[in-house]
Amino acid sequence: MVIEELLAAGAPASTHWVSDRQAGPSVLQHGTEEQRRFFLPRIAAGQCFFSIGMSEKSSGSDLASVAPVPNGPPTAGG
């Protein structure tokens, strides 16, 4: 419902992606009660935005070009 309202208001799809798909669940799972009370209603209302930055040594910010390289022996189950 939040996404539908944001899109109906003309917000670009990328505006809500990090907040409701990444930051929101992280705050919900790992945040303090005070952080949950502060951030989650603002995320749901489209009043709070987050950003993330990622960079890899061999790829820069082009995460699609990251190639996983094992750095040790396989572990059980993974």
Side-chain angles (χ1 to χ4, degrees), residues 22-40 43 50:
Q22 294 179 348
S26 293
V27 171
L28 186 61
Q29 184 173 359
H30 303 291
T32 65
E33 188 59 36
E34 181 181 6
Q35 290 168 331
R36 289 185 199 114
R37 281 195 306 267
F38 181 84
F39 287 114
L40 296 177
I43 290 171
F50 291 81

Side-chain angles (χ1 to χ4, degrees), residues 4-75:
E4 292 173 9
E5 291 298 320
L6 286 168
L7 294 175
S14 62
T15 300
H16 59 77
W17 185 259
V18 173
S19 291
D20 72 343
R21 303 291 175 156
Q22 294 179 348
S26 293
V27 171
L28 186 61
Q29 184 173 359
H30 303 291
T32 65
E33 188 59 36
E34 181 181 6
Q35 290 168 331
R36 289 185 199 114
R37 281 195 306 267
F38 181 84
F39 287 114
L40 296 177
R42 287 168 174 81
I43 290 171
Q47 299 169 338
C48 183
F49 299 98
F50 291 81
S51 66
I52 56 174
M54 297 182 191
S55 181
E56 289 292 324
K57 184 176 182 179
S58 63
S59 301
S61 60
D62 180 13
L63 297 181
S65 70
V66 172
V69 178
N71 61 2
T75 58

